[in-house]
Amino acid sequence: MPVPDHLLLELERGLRWRAEGMYRGRYAPSPTGALHLGNLQTALLSWLQARQAGGVWLLRIDDLDTPRNRPGAVEAIQDDLHWLGLDWDGEPILQSRRRGLYASWLSWLRRSGALFPCRCSRRELAGLARYPGTCRDGGAGWGWRDRRLPSWRLRVPGRDPDGSGDVVVRRADGFIAYQLATVIDELALGITDVVRGEDLREALPAQRSVYRALQQQPPRFHHGPLRCDAEGRKLSKREASSGLMPLRELGLDAPAVVGLLASGLGCVGPGAQLSAIELLDDLTQKGIRAGHS
Ligand code: GLU
């Protein structure tokens, strides 16, 4: 079923920006706590790539999962980026203000038969590489049952080249799933290049399946290196110790922290101290493109 005009209209500006070919990037943190150094390293990489390309860099706040949002986190994210000298274009874009957009696409997908309700619990699916198709035949029903609503999954053909399985686009708790919201936003905002952490590479097959269902082309994707703590574990936002504040309290200034983050990206040697703009100029002069070494 072709995408109806009123939905395409919602993407019109984004599709035009993309067709013009100018680089448009974004940084899309979830406001679930203070950014840790891994998040900030990814922000630096994303900013560097956009600025080196002379492009636009947007700040999108992925705040749809309201119970996980932390008070003050949106302000703290902006404050950290400012402090590091990573300037974004325009106002921050809050996903929580764009629910209407996601809902229109969701209801078209549902009406066109692309979705099915699913009542499998997380426990039932634990350990499976991908969704086994349990509720695909439609038996799950869409209303309340045992005081629970179903989630809604996108029917992804078995021959799908990405092999993502059937992707959840609306969760059982009623929230629009990240996989759907992020794809609609990349399209509506005309994003040409998504730069994010390596941990999100696993989201790629599902997102490619969503692009296909919406009959749109995906942007380019780049997944940057993660930072680990001293014990080699992935950093977590739950541990306040991994953020910027403790370093600022120790007296480190922005050039010291930019140097630290840039060394994690392999752009400079250990101990380098330089502002974000100096780093940008330095890489540009040397003809090095961030993330493409
Ligand atoms: N909001 C997501 C996160 O913080 C990232 C989204 C993305 O960059 O695609 O994990």
Side-chain angles (χ1 to χ4, degrees), residues 224-269:
L226 299 180
R227 278 187 91 89
C228 294
D229 66 10
E231 277 84 53
R233 285 173 315 197
K234 207 183 119 183
L235 298 180
S236 152
K237 279 194 191 149
R238 281 184 295 278
E239 291 162 47
S241 58
S242 56
L244 210 49
M245 215 25 108
L247 299 180
R248 285 173 71 169
E249 277 163 9
L250 280 176
L252 265 73
D253 59 5
V257 179
V258 169
L260 189 68
L261 300 175
S263 72
L265 293 171
C267 296
V268 297

mmCIF file of all heavy atoms in Angstrom, residues 224-269:
data_model
loop_
_atom_site.group_PDB
_atom_site.id
_atom_site.type_symbol
_atom_site.label_atom_id
_atom_site.label_comp_id
_atom_site.label_asym_id
_atom_site.label_seq_id
_atom_site.Cartn_x
_atom_site.Cartn_y
_atom_site.Cartn_z
ATOM 1 N N GLY A 224 30.719 4.740 16.470
ATOM 2 C CA GLY A 224 32.029 5.092 17.020
ATOM 3 C C GLY A 224 32.411 4.224 18.203
ATOM 4 O O GLY A 224 31.566 3.550 18.790
ATOM 5 N N PRO A 225 33.706 4.252 18.588
ATOM 6 C CA PRO A 225 34.199 3.397 19.669
ATOM 7 C C PRO A 225 33.587 3.739 21.025
ATOM 8 O O PRO A 225 33.271 4.891 21.294
ATOM 9 C CB PRO A 225 35.703 3.679 19.691
ATOM 10 C CG PRO A 225 35.870 5.004 19.018
ATOM 11 C CD PRO A 225 34.749 5.128 18.040
ATOM 12 N N LEU A 226 33.430 2.728 21.875
ATOM 13 C CA LEU A 226 32.902 2.937 23.231
ATOM 14 C C LEU A 226 34.056 3.163 24.198
ATOM 15 O O LEU A 226 35.169 2.746 23.940
ATOM 16 C CB LEU A 226 32.114 1.693 23.674
ATOM 17 C CG LEU A 226 30.904 1.322 22.831
ATOM 18 C CD1 LEU A 226 30.239 0.065 23.395
ATOM 19 C CD2 LEU A 226 29.902 2.467 22.758
ATOM 20 N N ARG A 227 33.756 3.802 25.307
ATOM 21 C CA ARG A 227 34.760 3.959 26.375
ATOM 22 C C ARG A 227 34.437 2.982 27.488
ATOM 23 O O ARG A 227 33.264 2.756 27.781
ATOM 24 C CB ARG A 227 34.679 5.354 26.978
ATOM 25 C CG ARG A 227 35.370 6.430 26.234
ATOM 26 C CD ARG A 227 35.352 7.694 27.043
ATOM 27 N NE ARG A 227 36.533 7.810 27.894
ATOM 28 C CZ ARG A 227 37.658 8.371 27.497
ATOM 29 N NH1 ARG A 227 37.767 8.865 26.281
ATOM 30 N NH2 ARG A 227 38.693 8.452 28.306
ATOM 31 N N CYS A 228 35.445 2.454 28.095
ATOM 32 C CA CYS A 228 35.211 1.532 29.220
ATOM 33 C C CYS A 228 35.778 2.138 30.497
ATOM 34 O O CYS A 228 36.587 3.056 30.454
ATOM 35 C CB CYS A 228 35.891 0.203 28.947
ATOM 36 S SG CYS A 228 35.155 -0.639 27.548
ATOM 37 N N ASP A 229 35.350 1.616 31.637
ATOM 38 C CA ASP A 229 35.934 2.090 32.897
ATOM 39 C C ASP A 229 37.244 1.336 33.145
ATOM 40 O O ASP A 229 37.672 0.519 32.330
ATOM 41 C CB ASP A 229 34.933 1.934 34.051
ATOM 42 C CG ASP A 229 34.620 0.467 34.360
ATOM 43 O OD1 ASP A 229 35.317 -0.423 33.817
ATOM 44 O OD2 ASP A 229 33.683 0.213 35.125
ATOM 45 N N ALA A 230 37.854 1.622 34.308
ATOM 46 C CA ALA A 230 39.183 1.055 34.578
ATOM 47 C C ALA A 230 39.156 -0.476 34.577
ATOM 48 O O ALA A 230 40.152 -1.123 34.282
ATOM 49 C CB ALA A 230 39.696 1.582 35.911
ATOM 50 N N GLU A 231 37.986 -1.055 34.878
ATOM 51 C CA GLU A 231 37.889 -2.532 34.893
ATOM 52 C C GLU A 231 37.474 -3.091 33.524
ATOM 53 O O GLU A 231 37.183 -4.274 33.402
ATOM 54 C CB GLU A 231 36.859 -2.995 35.933
ATOM 55 C CG GLU A 231 37.392 -3.079 37.346
ATOM 56 C CD GLU A 231 37.349 -1.729 38.030
ATOM 57 O OE1 GLU A 231 36.266 -1.123 38.037
ATOM 58 O OE2 GLU A 231 38.400 -1.267 38.505
ATOM 59 N N GLY A 232 37.380 -2.222 32.528
ATOM 60 C CA GLY A 232 37.034 -2.690 31.188
ATOM 61 C C GLY A 232 35.547 -2.869 30.965
ATOM 62 O O GLY A 232 35.128 -3.438 29.965
ATOM 63 N N ARG A 233 34.719 -2.357 31.911
ATOM 64 C CA ARG A 233 33.266 -2.476 31.719
ATOM 65 C C ARG A 233 32.726 -1.261 30.982
ATOM 66 O O ARG A 233 33.265 -0.157 31.111
ATOM 67 C CB ARG A 233 32.541 -2.559 33.068
ATOM 68 C CG ARG A 233 32.680 -3.885 33.769
ATOM 69 C CD ARG A 233 32.069 -3.773 35.142
ATOM 70 N NE ARG A 233 32.501 -2.507 35.765
ATOM 71 C CZ ARG A 233 32.421 -2.244 37.056
ATOM 72 N NH1 ARG A 233 31.906 -3.113 37.870
ATOM 73 N NH2 ARG A 233 32.846 -1.085 37.551
ATOM 74 N N LYS A 234 31.633 -1.497 30.256
ATOM 75 C CA LYS A 234 30.955 -0.400 29.556
ATOM 76 C C LYS A 234 30.482 0.631 30.584
ATOM 77 O O LYS A 234 30.013 0.256 31.656
ATOM 78 C CB LYS A 234 29.742 -1.001 28.829
ATOM 79 C CG LYS A 234 29.314 -0.250 27.614
ATOM 80 C CD LYS A 234 28.062 -0.891 27.029
ATOM 81 C CE LYS A 234 26.956 0.123 27.046
ATOM 82 N NZ LYS A 234 25.681 -0.399 26.579
ATOM 83 N N LEU A 235 30.601 1.916 30.267
ATOM 84 C CA LEU A 235 30.141 2.941 31.206
ATOM 85 C C LEU A 235 28.623 2.945 31.273
ATOM 86 O O LEU A 235 27.946 2.602 30.313
ATOM 87 C CB LEU A 235 30.628 4.318 30.759
ATOM 88 C CG LEU A 235 32.137 4.512 30.710
ATOM 89 C CD1 LEU A 235 32.474 5.927 30.255
ATOM 90 C CD2 LEU A 235 32.761 4.240 32.067
ATOM 91 N N SER A 236 28.112 3.362 32.434
ATOM 92 C CA SER A 236 26.662 3.413 32.600
ATOM 93 C C SER A 236 26.258 4.772 33.142
ATOM 94 O O SER A 236 26.968 5.362 33.960
ATOM 95 C CB SER A 236 26.243 2.311 33.575
ATOM 96 O OG SER A 236 25.068 2.682 34.234
ATOM 97 N N LYS A 237 25.093 5.250 32.681
ATOM 98 C CA LYS A 237 24.624 6.546 33.162
ATOM 99 C C LYS A 237 24.223 6.471 34.626
ATOM 100 O O LYS A 237 24.083 7.475 35.287
ATOM 101 C CB LYS A 237 23.414 6.990 32.352
ATOM 102 C CG LYS A 237 23.777 7.612 31.030
ATOM 103 C CD LYS A 237 22.553 8.315 30.478
ATOM 104 C CE LYS A 237 22.793 8.711 29.039
ATOM 105 N NZ LYS A 237 21.581 8.716 28.261
ATOM 106 N N ARG A 238 23.981 5.247 35.107
ATOM 107 C CA ARG A 238 23.555 5.103 36.498
ATOM 108 C C ARG A 238 24.683 5.461 37.461
ATOM 109 O O ARG A 238 24.463 5.835 38.586
ATOM 110 C CB ARG A 238 23.064 3.685 36.760
ATOM 111 C CG ARG A 238 21.647 3.467 36.262
ATOM 112 C CD ARG A 238 21.157 2.083 36.617
ATOM 113 N NE ARG A 238 21.905 1.041 35.945
ATOM 114 C CZ ARG A 238 21.666 0.647 34.701
ATOM 115 N NH1 ARG A 238 20.712 1.199 34.009
ATOM 116 N NH2 ARG A 238 22.375 -0.310 34.148
ATOM 117 N N GLU A 239 25.915 5.340 36.990
ATOM 118 C CA GLU A 239 27.045 5.659 37.864
ATOM 119 C C GLU A 239 27.478 7.094 37.604
ATOM 120 O O GLU A 239 28.116 7.382 36.599
ATOM 121 C CB GLU A 239 28.200 4.697 37.598
ATOM 122 C CG GLU A 239 27.877 3.291 38.061
ATOM 123 C CD GLU A 239 28.791 2.260 37.425
ATOM 124 O OE1 GLU A 239 30.012 2.480 37.404
ATOM 125 O OE2 GLU A 239 28.268 1.257 36.944
ATOM 126 N N ALA A 240 27.108 7.954 38.539
ATOM 127 C CA ALA A 240 27.368 9.380 38.355
ATOM 128 C C ALA A 240 28.869 9.631 38.183
ATOM 129 O O ALA A 240 29.289 10.590 37.561
ATOM 130 C CB ALA A 240 26.834 10.154 39.542
ATOM 131 N N SER A 241 29.682 8.722 38.730
ATOM 132 C CA SER A 241 31.131 8.918 38.701
ATOM 133 C C SER A 241 31.680 8.959 37.278
ATOM 134 O O SER A 241 32.807 9.398 37.068
ATOM 135 C CB SER A 241 31.799 7.780 39.455
ATOM 136 O OG SER A 241 31.422 6.559 38.864
ATOM 137 N N SER A 242 30.905 8.465 36.307
ATOM 138 C CA SER A 242 31.467 8.375 34.959
ATOM 139 C C SER A 242 31.193 9.621 34.118
ATOM 140 O O SER A 242 31.527 9.659 32.960
ATOM 141 C CB SER A 242 30.939 7.126 34.261
ATOM 142 O OG SER A 242 29.526 7.163 34.253
ATOM 143 N N GLY A 243 30.577 10.655 34.732
ATOM 144 C CA GLY A 243 30.225 11.860 33.973
ATOM 145 C C GLY A 243 31.273 12.955 34.055
ATOM 146 O O GLY A 243 32.401 12.745 34.513
ATOM 147 N N LEU A 244 30.860 14.136 33.623
ATOM 148 C CA LEU A 244 31.768 15.273 33.535
ATOM 149 C C LEU A 244 31.991 15.948 34.887
ATOM 150 O O LEU A 244 33.059 16.480 35.160
ATOM 151 C CB LEU A 244 31.104 16.281 32.583
ATOM 152 C CG LEU A 244 31.954 17.198 31.738
ATOM 153 C CD1 LEU A 244 33.035 16.430 31.019
ATOM 154 C CD2 LEU A 244 31.054 17.920 30.726
ATOM 155 N N MET A 245 30.952 15.933 35.719
ATOM 156 C CA MET A 245 30.991 16.712 36.955
ATOM 157 C C MET A 245 32.203 16.396 37.837
ATOM 158 O O MET A 245 32.900 17.307 38.279
ATOM 159 C CB MET A 245 29.669 16.522 37.717
ATOM 160 C CG MET A 245 29.168 17.733 38.457
ATOM 161 S SD MET A 245 29.733 19.307 37.817
ATOM 162 C CE MET A 245 28.264 19.920 37.074
ATOM 163 N N PRO A 246 32.485 15.092 38.074
ATOM 164 C CA PRO A 246 33.647 14.807 38.930
ATOM 165 C C PRO A 246 34.946 15.363 38.346
ATOM 166 O O PRO A 246 35.810 15.822 39.093
ATOM 167 C CB PRO A 246 33.702 13.268 38.967
ATOM 168 C CG PRO A 246 32.415 12.790 38.422
ATOM 169 C CD PRO A 246 31.799 13.877 37.629
ATOM 170 N N LEU A 247 35.056 15.359 37.010
ATOM 171 C CA LEU A 247 36.283 15.886 36.394
ATOM 172 C C LEU A 247 36.356 17.395 36.563
ATOM 173 O O LEU A 247 37.413 17.960 36.835
ATOM 174 C CB LEU A 247 36.333 15.523 34.900
ATOM 175 C CG LEU A 247 36.348 14.039 34.571
ATOM 176 C CD1 LEU A 247 36.409 13.828 33.061
ATOM 177 C CD2 LEU A 247 37.556 13.363 35.234
ATOM 178 N N ARG A 248 35.200 18.056 36.432
ATOM 179 C CA ARG A 248 35.174 19.510 36.609
ATOM 180 C C ARG A 248 35.513 19.862 38.057
ATOM 181 O O ARG A 248 36.221 20.825 38.311
ATOM 182 C CB ARG A 248 33.793 20.067 36.232
ATOM 183 C CG ARG A 248 33.599 20.085 34.728
ATOM 184 C CD ARG A 248 32.193 20.455 34.326
ATOM 185 N NE ARG A 248 31.887 21.860 34.568
ATOM 186 C CZ ARG A 248 30.784 22.461 34.092
ATOM 187 N NH1 ARG A 248 29.905 21.787 33.364
ATOM 188 N NH2 ARG A 248 30.567 23.714 34.340
ATOM 189 N N GLU A 249 35.004 19.028 38.974
ATOM 190 C CA GLU A 249 35.295 19.291 40.396
ATOM 191 C C GLU A 249 36.773 19.089 40.708
ATOM 192 O O GLU A 249 37.335 19.729 41.586
ATOM 193 C CB GLU A 249 34.414 18.406 41.288
ATOM 194 C CG GLU A 249 33.034 19.025 41.470
ATOM 195 C CD GLU A 249 31.988 18.043 41.984
ATOM 196 O OE1 GLU A 249 32.362 16.914 42.358
ATOM 197 O OE2 GLU A 249 30.794 18.431 41.993
ATOM 198 N N LEU A 250 37.405 18.199 39.959
ATOM 199 C CA LEU A 250 38.847 17.984 40.148
ATOM 200 C C LEU A 250 39.664 19.121 39.545
ATOM 201 O O LEU A 250 40.885 19.156 39.667
ATOM 202 C CB LEU A 250 39.280 16.688 39.458
ATOM 203 C CG LEU A 250 39.016 15.380 40.182
ATOM 204 C CD1 LEU A 250 39.420 14.199 39.294
ATOM 205 C CD2 LEU A 250 39.785 15.340 41.499
ATOM 206 N N GLY A 251 38.970 20.007 38.821
ATOM 207 C CA GLY A 251 39.660 21.166 38.264
ATOM 208 C C GLY A 251 40.066 21.017 36.808
ATOM 209 O O GLY A 251 40.770 21.855 36.257
ATOM 210 N N LEU A 252 39.647 19.940 36.149
ATOM 211 C CA LEU A 252 39.988 19.800 34.724
ATOM 212 C C LEU A 252 39.199 20.837 33.929
ATOM 213 O O LEU A 252 38.016 21.063 34.202
ATOM 214 C CB LEU A 252 39.626 18.399 34.220
ATOM 215 C CG LEU A 252 40.788 17.389 34.235
ATOM 216 C CD1 LEU A 252 41.096 16.983 35.657
ATOM 217 C CD2 LEU A 252 40.433 16.167 33.407
ATOM 218 N N ASP A 253 39.844 21.444 32.944
ATOM 219 C CA ASP A 253 39.125 22.407 32.124
ATOM 220 C C ASP A 253 38.685 21.736 30.815
ATOM 221 O O ASP A 253 39.027 20.574 30.540
ATOM 222 C CB ASP A 253 39.957 23.668 31.874
ATOM 223 C CG ASP A 253 41.266 23.344 31.185
ATOM 224 O OD1 ASP A 253 41.480 22.160 30.823
ATOM 225 O OD2 ASP A 253 42.081 24.270 31.007
ATOM 226 N N ALA A 254 37.919 22.476 30.001
ATOM 227 C CA ALA A 254 37.351 21.875 28.789
ATOM 228 C C ALA A 254 38.430 21.314 27.854
ATOM 229 O O ALA A 254 38.290 20.186 27.359
ATOM 230 C CB ALA A 254 36.447 22.876 28.078
ATOM 231 N N PRO A 255 39.538 22.051 27.610
ATOM 232 C CA PRO A 255 40.558 21.478 26.708
ATOM 233 C C PRO A 255 41.113 20.140 27.208
ATOM 234 O O PRO A 255 41.395 19.250 26.395
ATOM 235 C CB PRO A 255 41.652 22.556 26.679
ATOM 236 C CG PRO A 255 40.914 23.830 26.975
ATOM 237 C CD PRO A 255 39.835 23.462 27.953
ATOM 238 N N ALA A 256 41.246 20.010 28.532
ATOM 239 C CA ALA A 256 41.760 18.732 29.054
ATOM 240 C C ALA A 256 40.761 17.607 28.760
ATOM 241 O O ALA A 256 41.141 16.498 28.367
ATOM 242 C CB ALA A 256 42.010 18.843 30.553
ATOM 243 N N VAL A 257 39.469 17.907 28.935
ATOM 244 C CA VAL A 257 38.458 16.861 28.713
ATOM 245 C C VAL A 257 38.292 16.583 27.216
ATOM 246 O O VAL A 257 38.183 15.419 26.802
ATOM 247 C CB VAL A 257 37.112 17.245 29.372
ATOM 248 C CG1 VAL A 257 36.065 16.166 29.106
ATOM 249 C CG2 VAL A 257 37.291 17.444 30.876
ATOM 250 N N VAL A 258 38.315 17.623 26.395
ATOM 251 C CA VAL A 258 38.230 17.396 24.935
ATOM 252 C C VAL A 258 39.407 16.512 24.500
ATOM 253 O O VAL A 258 39.243 15.574 23.712
ATOM 254 C CB VAL A 258 38.211 18.744 24.158
ATOM 255 C CG1 VAL A 258 38.408 18.505 22.666
ATOM 256 C CG2 VAL A 258 36.898 19.489 24.409
ATOM 257 N N GLY A 259 40.593 16.800 25.053
ATOM 258 C CA GLY A 259 41.769 15.990 24.729
ATOM 259 C C GLY A 259 41.566 14.527 25.110
ATOM 260 O O GLY A 259 41.870 13.610 24.345
ATOM 261 N N LEU A 260 40.993 14.327 26.291
ATOM 262 C CA LEU A 260 40.730 12.969 26.788
ATOM 263 C C LEU A 260 39.762 12.230 25.845
ATOM 264 O O LEU A 260 39.981 11.068 25.479
ATOM 265 C CB LEU A 260 40.101 13.106 28.176
ATOM 266 C CG LEU A 260 39.899 11.883 29.029
ATOM 267 C CD1 LEU A 260 41.259 11.340 29.448
ATOM 268 C CD2 LEU A 260 39.081 12.252 30.278
ATOM 269 N N LEU A 261 38.699 12.926 25.460
ATOM 270 C CA LEU A 261 37.691 12.305 24.587
ATOM 271 C C LEU A 261 38.280 12.053 23.194
ATOM 272 O O LEU A 261 38.053 10.998 22.597
ATOM 273 C CB LEU A 261 36.454 13.203 24.473
ATOM 274 C CG LEU A 261 35.728 13.522 25.789
ATOM 275 C CD1 LEU A 261 34.591 14.511 25.546
ATOM 276 C CD2 LEU A 261 35.191 12.248 26.435
ATOM 277 N N ALA A 262 39.044 13.025 22.708
ATOM 278 C CA ALA A 262 39.612 12.891 21.359
ATOM 279 C C ALA A 262 40.637 11.767 21.318
ATOM 280 O O ALA A 262 40.775 11.081 20.298
ATOM 281 C CB ALA A 262 40.242 14.212 20.923
ATOM 282 N N SER A 263 41.343 11.531 22.441
ATOM 283 C CA SER A 263 42.316 10.435 22.422
ATOM 284 C C SER A 263 41.571 9.099 22.361
ATOM 285 O O SER A 263 42.038 8.151 21.739
ATOM 286 C CB SER A 263 43.289 10.516 23.595
ATOM 287 O OG SER A 263 42.636 10.180 24.790
ATOM 288 N N GLY A 264 40.371 9.052 22.975
ATOM 289 C CA GLY A 264 39.551 7.836 22.872
ATOM 290 C C GLY A 264 39.093 7.581 21.442
ATOM 291 O O GLY A 264 38.793 6.449 21.064
ATOM 292 N N LEU A 265 39.037 8.640 20.656
ATOM 293 C CA LEU A 265 38.625 8.496 19.252
ATOM 294 C C LEU A 265 39.828 8.250 18.339
ATOM 295 O O LEU A 265 39.679 8.081 17.134
ATOM 296 C CB LEU A 265 37.904 9.779 18.781
ATOM 297 C CG LEU A 265 36.560 10.081 19.429
ATOM 298 C CD1 LEU A 265 36.081 11.485 19.039
ATOM 299 C CD2 LEU A 265 35.512 9.041 19.020
ATOM 300 N N GLY A 266 41.016 8.302 18.950
ATOM 301 C CA GLY A 266 42.228 8.098 18.157
ATOM 302 C C GLY A 266 42.620 9.318 17.337
ATOM 303 O O GLY A 266 43.421 9.220 16.400
ATOM 304 N N CYS A 267 42.065 10.500 17.672
ATOM 305 C CA CYS A 267 42.358 11.715 16.899
ATOM 306 C C CYS A 267 43.638 12.393 17.367
ATOM 307 O O CYS A 267 44.271 13.133 16.615
ATOM 308 C CB CYS A 267 41.254 12.753 17.063
ATOM 309 S SG CYS A 267 39.668 12.278 16.451
ATOM 310 N N VAL A 268 43.980 12.243 18.655
ATOM 311 C CA VAL A 268 45.167 12.892 19.230
ATOM 312 C C VAL A 268 45.832 11.882 20.167
ATOM 313 O O VAL A 268 45.206 10.887 20.545
ATOM 314 C CB VAL A 268 44.776 14.147 20.063
ATOM 315 C CG1 VAL A 268 44.120 15.212 19.214
ATOM 316 C CG2 VAL A 268 43.867 13.767 21.233
ATOM 317 N N GLY A 269 47.043 12.185 20.554
ATOM 318 C CA GLY A 269 47.741 11.300 21.491
ATOM 319 C C GLY A 269 47.265 11.548 22.911
ATOM 320 O O GLY A 269 46.590 12.542 23.181
#
